[in-house]
Amino acid sequence: MNFAYILAGILVAAALFASVLWSFTQAFQRSGRLRNIYLVLVLLTVGGMATVSLGLNIEMRLLGLCLIIFGAFAVFYERGSSRFLPLLQLLFGLVLLLGLPFQYLTG
């Protein structure tokens, strides 16, 4: 495996981890609708990571669709630069929906 691929994977994982931490902290700082959206985003993102680890293809695609929906809600209801990290979760949902992790994982 090429070093550039490994480095890219580490950077993507770090960005996704940062977006989960952001959503988790926002769930405690916000109230109302945004609080619930951020809580669901945390659960869906961690669940999406788990489905990739466990090799659950159908569940991964369902969680990807849910991540796209709730990520879009978070991007819509947020203001300013706070939209960036939920947008990363939305893109992660798109990756899961398309099944890209299983196309590029070896083994």
Side-chain angles (χ1 to χ4, degrees):
M1 182 166 285
N2 191 353
F3 177 73
Y5 289 139
I6 294 171
L7 184 61
I10 291 170
L11 291 175
V12 168
L16 191 59
F17 183 69
S19 68
V20 169
L21 287 177
W22 170 262
S23 294
F24 190 70
T25 58
Q26 292 301 308
F28 288 104
Q29 292 178 351
R30 302 293 176 136
S31 62
R33 185 180 303 153
L34 266 176
R35 171 183 232 154
N36 295 333
I37 290 171
Y38 278 122
L39 283 173
V40 171
L41 276 175
V42 168
L43 294 174
L44 289 174
T45 306
V46 172
M49 292 178 198
T51 58
V52 171
S53 297
L54 296 172
L56 304 172
N57 193 13
I58 295 170
E59 292 84 354
M60 176 188 71
R61 291 175 190 262
L62 287 172
L63 286 175
L65 179 64
C66 293
L67 263 171
I68 291 171
I69 293 168
F70 281 95
F73 284 150
V75 169
F76 179 75
Y77 289 119
E78 270 296 346
R79 298 289 173 243
S81 62
S82 297
R83 294 179 175 181
F84 177 68
L85 290 174
L87 186 62
L88 285 176
Q89 289 171 304
L90 186 146
L91 293 175
F92 179 60
L94 183 62
V95 166
L96 293 180
L97 183 64
L98 295 175
L100 294 179
F102 291 144
Q103 291 181 4
Y104 293 104
L105 290 176
T106 57

